[in-house]
């Protein structure tokens, strides 16, 4: 089993927990951690020659152009995480179009390379967004996250598929679903993020072992802020939201280092080329 090592490049205050607490006009005033944490990810990936897919938020890219260049120069794929981390199903279709168009342009202007992929903030994808992604020149989405637990995620009902691998949504457009563990008709969240953070590494590995012959490429995701235990969440969050955002950060850093050392990777655009675009 290979891995899609994917990272949603945003800072700690971009998450849904902070939508009401830290609004866009004061993002720049916050403790900026995205560069240092992304560089940590890059060092783990580079140590084993792994190449990943980085879904970069347009707002971050605009502020940290050198960081985006650095990611691309190390051979990773640059994809889009939208511009302002808006929940897709809460936007109008025009607002969504503007958000993804801006992000694509910001990223392409920095790297000079075409951006093919998109991941919705909070996996908030919805059916109408697919046509717009196609019209705006994207080739794939990676936002379908089937799981038992989460209330904020979106879904594609028109394009229902049981596939765990990349599949075609429409001619010329593809979906890379996040990889979870099927148990009967349900899916246990195993793709990364908080689930990766919460579980002891040996349990996480048991799950990966279980998927070994059931999955060709495991689609894993993480955020740079999930490696950082220096952020003062106590000042902002309490209860479940604080746990969800800040549990086990230090261990997560070590776990990512081990995980990236233990598996070979493939970039999403290369997988598409190999398996779909070449033969069509
Ligand atoms: Zn995000």
């Amino acid at each position: 089993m290979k891995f899609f090592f994917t990272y949603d490049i945003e800072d700690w205050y971009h998450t849904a927990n902070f939508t009401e607490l830290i609004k866009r006009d004061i993002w720049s005033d916050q403790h900026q951690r995205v560069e240092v944490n992304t560089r940590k990810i890059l060092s783990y990936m580079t140590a084993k020659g792994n190449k990943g897919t980085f879904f970069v938020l347009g707002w971050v890219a605009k502020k940290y152009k050198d960081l985006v260049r650095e990611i691309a120069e190390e051979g990773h794929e640059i994809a889009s995480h939208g511009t302002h981390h808006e929940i897709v199903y809460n936007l109008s279709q025009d607002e969504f179009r503007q958000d993804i168009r801006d992000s694509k342009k910001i990223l392409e202007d920095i790297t000079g390379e075409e951006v093919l992929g998109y991941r919705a903030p909070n996996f908030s994808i919805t059916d109408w967004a697919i046509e717009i992604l196609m019209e705006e020149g994207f080739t794939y989405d990676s936002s379908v996250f089937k799981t038992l637990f989460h209330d904020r995620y979106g879904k594609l009902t028109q394009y229902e598929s049981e596939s765990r691998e990349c599949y075609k949504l429409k001619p010329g457009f593809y979906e890379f679903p996040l990889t979870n563990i099927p148990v009967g008709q349900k899916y246990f969240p195993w793709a990364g993020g908080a689930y990766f953070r919460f579980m002891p590494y040996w349990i996480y590995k048991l799950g990966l072992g279980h998927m070994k012959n059931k999955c060709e490429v495991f689609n894993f995701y993480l955020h740079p802020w999930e490696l950082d235990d220096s952020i003062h969440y106590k000042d902002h969050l309490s209860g479940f939201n604080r746990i969800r955002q800040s549990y086990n950060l230090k261990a997560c850093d070590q776990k990512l280092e081990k995980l990236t050392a233990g598996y070979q990777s493939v970039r999403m655009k290369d997988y598409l080329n190999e398996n779909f675009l070449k033969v069509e």
Side-chain angles (χ1 to χ4, degrees), residues 79-260:
S80 162
H81 195 36
T83 304
H84 289 121
H85 215 266
E86 302 275 7
I87 299 299
V88 173
Y89 52 71
N90 289 342
L91 293 176
S92 73
Q93 297 191 16
D94 286 346
E95 287 168 337
F96 175 69
R97 186 185 296 279
Q98 197 61 54
D99 187 81
I100 59 166
R101 184 183 286 177
D102 292 347
S103 76
K104 196 172 193 288
K105 183 164 180 356
I106 293 166
L107 296 169
E108 289 177 350
D109 284 351
I110 295 170
T111 65
E113 280 197 50
E114 197 185 355
V115 165
L116 305 180
Y118 173 73
R119 174 167 293 150
N122 272 82
F123 307 106
S124 60
I125 195 71
T126 194
D127 287 321
W128 55 253
I130 299 301
E131 294 275 348
I132 299 175
L133 283 164
M134 289 183 74
E135 286 162 15
E136 293 300 321
F138 288 86
T139 307
Y140 72 85
D141 172 69
S142 179
S143 315
V144 168
F145 193 119
K146 282 192 187 168
T147 167
L148 285 171
F149 298 122
H150 213 290
D151 49 337
R152 288 174 185 154
Y153 300 162
K155 58 180 170 217
L156 297 178
T157 49
Q158 273 176 37
Y159 307 97
E160 190 61 28
S161 168
E162 289 307 308
S163 179
R164 270 173 230 132
E165 313 290 347
C166 176
Y167 57 91
K168 189 200 278 187
L169 290 181
K170 285 185 152 248
F173 197 84
Y174 304 85
E175 175 64 37
F176 287 87
L178 282 299
T179 311
N180 289 319
I181 295 187
V183 179
Q185 298 299 310
K186 308 282 185 203
Y187 292 81
F188 278 88
W190 226 264
Y195 314 104
F196 178 68
R197 255 190 294 136
F198 274 54
M199 272 183 256
Y201 193 61
W202 67 271
I203 293 181
Y204 192 75
K205 289 276 289 187
L206 276 182
L208 295 183
H210 175 76
M211 294 304 285
K212 208 163 123 193
N213 299 314
K214 298 185 175 69
C215 172
E216 191 192 346
V217 189
F218 191 97
N219 189 0
F220 171 87
Y221 79 98
L222 205 67
H223 306 91
W225 52 263
E226 291 186 282
L227 308 177
D228 190 349
D229 67 348
S230 76
I231 298 157
H232 295 283
Y233 289 117
K234 277 187 191 144
D235 302 345
H236 306 280
L237 300 174
S238 61
F240 179 62
N241 283 346
R242 188 158 97 211
I243 293 170
R244 178 147 74 178
Q245 178 113 8
S246 67
Y247 183 74
N248 233 0
L249 297 166
K250 201 165 194 165
C252 184
D253 186 346
Q254 294 154 1
K255 283 191 276 187
L256 181 67
E257 189 174 11
K258 276 192 243 171
L259 188 74
T260 49

